Amino acid sequence: MIDNISWLAIYPEIILLVMACVIALVDLGVHSPRRTATYVLTLLTLAVVAVLQGFYAAGGQTFYGWGNMVVSDAMGNWLKCFATVALMATLVYGRPYAADRDMLRGGELFTLSMLALLGMFIMISGNNFLVLYLGLELLTLSSYALVALRRDNEAAVEAAMKYFVLGAMASGFLLYGMSMLYGATGSLDIGQVFKAINSGEIRHQVLVFGLVFVVAGLAFKLGVVPFHMWIPDVYQGAPTAVTLLIGGAPKLAAFAITIRLLVDGLLPLAIDWQQMLAVLAIGSLLVGNLAAIGQSNLKRMLAYSTISQMGFVLLGLLSGVVNGHVDPATVENAYSSAMFYVVTYVLTTLATFGVVLLLAREGFESEEISDLAGLNQRSPLYAGVMAICMFSMAGIPPLVGFYAKLSVLQSLIASGETAYIALAVFAVVMSLIGAFYYLRVVKVMYFDAPITVASVSAPLDVRVVLSVNGALVLLLGLMPGGLMSLCADAIVRALAS
């Protein structure tokens, strides 16, 4: 018999699944090319789910359901809430773009987006290897279909094929690593895996062999070097609305599954996986920043920017355990800084691509950096939002990106390890290099001659959401304490369970 706690743990997932089916059926009777009814119903559903998740998260309770296969805790619920809000913003930004390109013809954009979010929720809630993998596959399969949504566009179809092939390989890595860990520990339950490894009765070589494949699979989902090959091609080839969907909310789910596997399950092996993350972080910061400098395509530049930004997230994750010693204060500082970083990165990415989508018109994608020339003369508001985002990603105070980078660097330095301090110095140098290509975008918007004198217009919902989005990037930089405390409290409650 299934108890009430089990149902309580997955209420948001049930709502998403049921409403995804309802929306697909309702859309059959919608004939408007802009799919207004489907769009409104989707946003209302997401709003209800976001409020429910925020209510769960504010309660701070942790409970397990379905035989410990799923967990509802503060960290997971806040990440679900943020992911839902991110998807809402993505659909608001992307709907005019999608309507102009006949991508709303069958309503698949909304249904597949809901299923992708369901996959993220399952990844975030999973407390079992198979549950995590099922959530990951639901997300990735929905993403493959979304990338290929413009079936008549060769670039989109090519990007979907590359994404599918590399994604299948990464899923194989992750599944093989999980099977090795299951064979060594005899359990698929993350808590039981932790206890088995912590007992010290399992051969270290077997565990590390499985760990290598798990880290490789996670590295692909995070999009870090050397598993980054798909990021630039998919970002550039996919329709821009889908690029935002892939580059936004899923990063929160990728962070969550990394915490579930490496921290909740494999923390006794921290010495091993932290070394792997250090190599991945160094490669991502180096390749991401240097490759972005030479890009003229805006989406491709933002793809390499993503790689370098994820390198910073890894820096936060690798500084939690020092010399095999688990200090609660160090753990909280490190993992909460990584969570704060990924949340603020998604917030900034939403506004950045929101401006790109706003500038795209039918038959014109606005994908080149030169397409932003003179934007300040055409629309000071949207140029200002884009400039705030670029300055934030570059880590310039007082924007939220500065405090995100600062919190990660502080966690590295607070460890007291010489190697970690050297990593912090390296990260600062790479950030200085990365500032070049962010500031280049600002220079083009404010100092280059405009390519057209046409004013920039947008629907009311897009203007409102984009203005709020840009304001949050600034306000959270001026007052970062609230979000930082929220992340720290969520991490403490999640690890205490």
Side-chain angles (χ1 to χ4, degrees):
M1 182 177 179
I2 300 173
D3 56 24
N4 291 332
I5 292 295
S6 292
W7 289 111
L8 189 64
I10 63 167
Y11 270 149
E13 285 83 352
I14 294 174
I15 294 173
L16 276 180
L17 178 59
V18 171
M19 290 307 299
C21 298
V22 170
I23 288 169
L25 293 174
V26 168
D27 189 75
L28 295 175
V30 177
H31 302 292
S32 168
R34 300 188 73 84
R35 288 297 194 275
T36 304
T38 310
Y39 169 71
V40 172
L41 183 58
T42 302
L43 289 188
L44 286 175
T45 301
L46 294 175
V48 170
V49 172
V51 170
L52 182 59
Q53 290 296 172
F55 176 76
Y56 276 11
Q61 296 179 337
T62 299
F63 48 87
Y64 296 82
W66 302 91
N68 282 341
M69 288 194 296
V70 296
V71 57
S72 175
D73 58 18
M75 182 195 76
N77 288 323
W78 277 124
L79 288 175
K80 288 181 189 178
C81 180
F82 295 148
T84 306
V85 174
L87 181 59
M88 291 175 66
T90 299
L91 293 178
V92 171
Y93 295 149
R95 179 175 169 243
Y97 174 94
D100 289 343
R101 288 152 183 79
D102 202 25
M103 291 170 58
L104 301 181
R105 179 172 44 195
E108 296 98 336
L109 176 64
F110 302 109
T111 305
L112 288 171
S113 297
M114 295 276 282
L115 293 175
L117 182 63
L118 177 59
M120 296 178 218
F121 274 30
I122 296 172
M123 289 170 62
I124 294 170
S125 295
N127 194 47
N128 179 284
F129 285 162
L130 285 182
V131 173
L132 290 173
Y133 185 74
L134 288 174
L136 180 63
E137 286 303 290
L138 179 56
L139 169 61
T140 52
L141 290 173
S142 301
S143 301
Y144 301 153
L146 284 166
V147 173
L149 202 55
R150 293 185 69 185
R151 293 180 287 274
D152 56 343
N153 186 285
E154 292 183 5
V157 174
E158 180 184 350
M161 288 297 295
K162 291 178 180 177
Y163 192 15
F164 173 74
V165 172
L166 293 174
M169 181 177 67
S171 295
F173 282 158
L174 189 60
L175 190 60
Y176 186 65
M178 287 178 173
S179 68
M180 290 292 296
L181 294 174
Y182 169 68
T185 62
S187 178
L188 295 171
D189 183 276
I190 289 178
Q192 295 301 319
V193 169
F194 176 88
K195 291 178 181 178
I197 296 174
N198 207 34
S199 69
E201 298 175 358
I202 303 173
R203 289 183 60 190
H204 186 73
Q205 293 86 342
V206 177
L207 293 172
V208 172
F209 188 70
L211 178 63
V212 169
F213 284 94
V214 168
V215 171
L218 293 174
F220 178 90
K221 299 308 175 186
L222 288 167
V224 295
V225 174
F227 305 96
H228 66 290
M229 299 82 70
W230 64 279
I231 293 271
D233 290 338
V234 173
Y235 269 46
Q236 182 179 3
T240 307
V242 178
T243 300
L244 175 54
L245 195 149
I246 293 173
K251 298 302 182 187
L252 300 171
F255 170 80
I257 194 175
T258 302
I259 291 290
R260 299 292 188 209
L261 287 174
L262 298 186
V263 179
D264 290 350
L266 305 176
L267 191 62
L269 301 176
I271 293 179
D272 299 297
W273 57 256
Q274 284 182 166
Q275 294 177 18
M276 300 178 197
L277 295 189
V279 174
L280 296 175
I282 292 170
S284 300
L285 288 168
L286 186 63
V287 173
N289 284 307
L290 293 181
I293 291 175
Q295 304 302 317
S296 60
N297 183 279
L298 181 59
K299 288 165 66 177
R300 203 169 182 88
M301 187 209 82
L302 291 173
Y304 283 108
S305 164
T306 296
I307 295 169
S308 67
Q309 299 287 346
M310 289 301 103
F312 256 99
V313 174
L314 293 184
L315 289 179
L317 290 171
L318 65 85
S319 59
V321 179
V322 181
N323 294 326
H325 177 64
V326 180
D327 178 41
T330 304
V331 167
E332 173 192 341
N333 192 25
Y335 301 146
S336 64
S337 70
M339 180 176 173
F340 179 77
Y341 197 103
V342 75
V343 169
T344 55
Y345 163 76
V346 170
L347 177 68
T348 311
T349 297
L350 288 170
T352 302
F353 276 98
V355 175
V356 176
L357 286 165
L358 182 64
L359 296 177
R361 302 183 298 276
E362 188 173 0
F364 179 71
E365 290 294 332
S366 185
E367 290 187 358
E368 300 296 320
I369 295 176
S370 58
D371 294 332
L372 298 176
L375 179 60
N376 182 57
Q377 300 177 38
R378 298 168 56 201
S379 174
L381 172 63
Y382 302 132
V385 171
M386 191 68 165
I388 286 174
C389 293
M390 293 297 101
F391 286 139
S392 180
M393 287 190 177
I396 296 175
L399 300 169
V400 70
F402 167 76
Y403 289 99
K405 284 181 167 58
L406 180 63
S407 64
V408 169
L409 295 174
Q410 283 180 331
S411 69
L412 286 169
I413 295 172
S415 68
E417 281 289 293
T418 304
Y420 288 169
I421 295 174
L423 277 177
V425 173
F426 175 76
V428 170
V429 173
M430 289 298 103
S431 294
L432 291 174
I433 294 174
F436 169 80
Y437 56 85
Y438 292 123
L439 296 179
R440 180 177 60 182
V441 174
V442 177
K443 174 260 180 187
V444 169
M445 290 192 300
Y446 282 87
F447 298 105
D448 286 10
I451 57 177
T452 178
V453 294
S455 60
V456 181
S457 60
L460 177 61
D461 55 347
V462 175
R463 293 200 303 271
V464 171
V465 174
L466 187 57
S467 299
V468 172
N469 197 166
L472 282 174
V473 175
L474 176 59
L475 291 176
L476 287 174
L478 296 172
M479 297 178 289
L483 183 56
M484 284 182 170
S485 299
L486 183 149
C487 293
D489 180 69
I491 290 294
V492 169
R493 290 178 181 273
L495 296 183
S497 60

